[in-house]
Amino acid sequence: MYKIINDPIYGFVSIGSDLILELVNHPIFLRLTRIKQMGCSSVVYPGAQHTRFSHALGAMHLMKSAIESLARKGTSISAEEKEAAMIAILLHDVGHGPFSHALEKILLNVHHEELSLYLMHQLNKEMDGQLDMAIQMFTGEYPRHFFHQMVSSQLDMDRLDYLQRDCFFSGVIEGSVGANRIIKMLDVHDDEIVILEKGIYSIDRFLNARRMMYWQVYLHRTGLAAELMLQNIIKRAKYLIEQGKELMCDPDLGFFLKNSISKKNFESDPKILEHYLQLDDYNIWNVIKSWQKCGDRVLEVLVKGILQRKLFDCELSHEEFDQNKIDTVKKSLLDKNFSEEEIGYLCLHGKVSNAAYTSDKQNIKVKMKSGDILDISNASDLSNIEALTKIVTKYYLCQPKVVS
């Protein structure tokens, strides 16, 4: 069976495998059509409405291109390995919950990669073990390690797609990366993915784009404020339910609001998976709308702030905020008759960090013309490579602009 999908980034994306087509059409994978790729970023960039579904298909397309590029350079890759690698990247995000990273660890205490692996195993049982090799590549247990690097590393098909896709839909053209050229520059050396020396500047551009996208898009202060407000809506709802308050909610989301769920719970109770697979962005939007007049002042402030775009003011700083400044914000909320406990949902402070490249984590290696293998931080002669490897931390302080 041969199918093509018209993608706005790459044009026609082909699906030439019956197994892959079956996975794409499976309800577990189709759930990703109802989960936004960029969480709350659309409050800043209205075009950022694309889904995890389109990202997964794009990453699969890049995996296919990368494998074909490596094969042309002499790396022996079987048809079974090619299909498995494409499946591994296709399903790498299948465990994501509503609003992607925004609500991760808020609804349940399980990382999305653990859930992705768990769902892969569920699909594998259904498909009589046809995903065995794909799962090994996803976990890094497959003997040829370079396949895992293309699924999960600092230069994988996941990052190459989401940077291009998020750049396109947000309209932030500075985040564009030359994925096609990078893929053509890939090679395998001693079972590791390397980049040929003539591709150094493409990698520099990729790392610069990643740093820029994090601070200009993913961690934009307004988007960060919306994300923190969304998280506190769920936290507040869970607290109120624990206190015995009745909140309108569908049974699937209600299950996670009423219970604290870990990975072990998933493995011991199959009904938890049934609830989880019903969750997407629409569950969250439905309850947010229903809680506008729930009778809890804190929850109403947060909900109306999201729905009516009365987003919290968010200040970012390279230095920690002075405690006196935080206390001043808290006092202003106390003066509006919020209790100390309630203020914890309205005065939000903490920190966010990011580094475009960290050489201690599956570092990007460059194959020089001399045959030497160097880390990109040593191979690049760009003056800002040191800045790209530095972990940048910013501190935030968020508060309501106006509270009635």
Side-chain angles (χ1 to χ4, degrees), residues 8-9 38 41-50 161-177 209 212-213 216-218 220:
I9 312 298
M38 293 177 67
S41 292
S42 60
V43 301
V44 183
Y45 303 98
Q49 303 283 350
H50 55 299
D161 180 79
Y162 79 61
L163 284 173
Q164 286 194 112
R165 193 166 299 275
D166 296 352
C167 160
F168 178 87
F169 283 101
S170 66
V172 180
I173 59 174
E174 296 89 348
S176 177
V177 296
M212 192 283 306
M213 286 292 285
Q216 187 171 328
V217 180
Y218 306 134
H220 187 285

Side-chain angles (χ1 to χ4, degrees), residues 215 352-358 360 386-393:
W215 292 116
V352 288
S353 301
N354 177 256
Y357 176 68
T358 50
D360 61 333
E386 195 170 307
L388 294 174
T389 60
K390 180 182 178 182
I391 297 176
V392 178
T393 298

Side-chain angles (χ1 to χ4, degrees), residues 161-200:
D161 180 79
Y162 79 61
L163 284 173
Q164 286 194 112
R165 193 166 299 275
D166 296 352
C167 160
F168 178 87
F169 283 101
S170 66
V172 180
I173 59 174
E174 296 89 348
S176 177
V177 296
N180 287 336
R181 176 167 173 77
I182 289 174
I183 284 173
K184 286 180 171 59
M185 295 297 107
L186 294 179
D187 202 354
V188 176
H189 177 85
D190 288 343
D191 196 31
E192 284 189 308
I193 290 291
V194 295
I195 194 84
L196 300 179
E197 183 179 356
K198 57 186 176 181
I200 284 178

Side-chain angles (χ1 to χ4, degrees), residues 247-298:
L247 287 176
M248 189 179 296
C249 188
D250 68 82
D252 298 303
L253 179 58
F255 177 84
F256 291 98
L257 294 179
K258 294 172 185 175
N259 298 284
S260 179
I261 304 299
S262 68
K263 182 183 176 185
K264 187 177 292 186
N265 297 131
F266 261 94
E267 295 169 345
S268 62
D269 185 355
K271 288 185 179 178
I272 296 177
L273 179 62
E274 293 177 20
H275 285 299
Y276 187 72
L277 291 176
Q278 294 302 313
L279 293 188
D280 52 46
D281 291 5
Y282 295 96
N283 299 76
I284 304 299
W285 282 121
N286 284 336
V287 293
I288 285 177
K289 289 189 290 183
S290 71
W291 293 341
Q292 291 180 81
K293 296 180 180 179
C294 65
D296 179 75
R297 190 180 173 205
V298 173

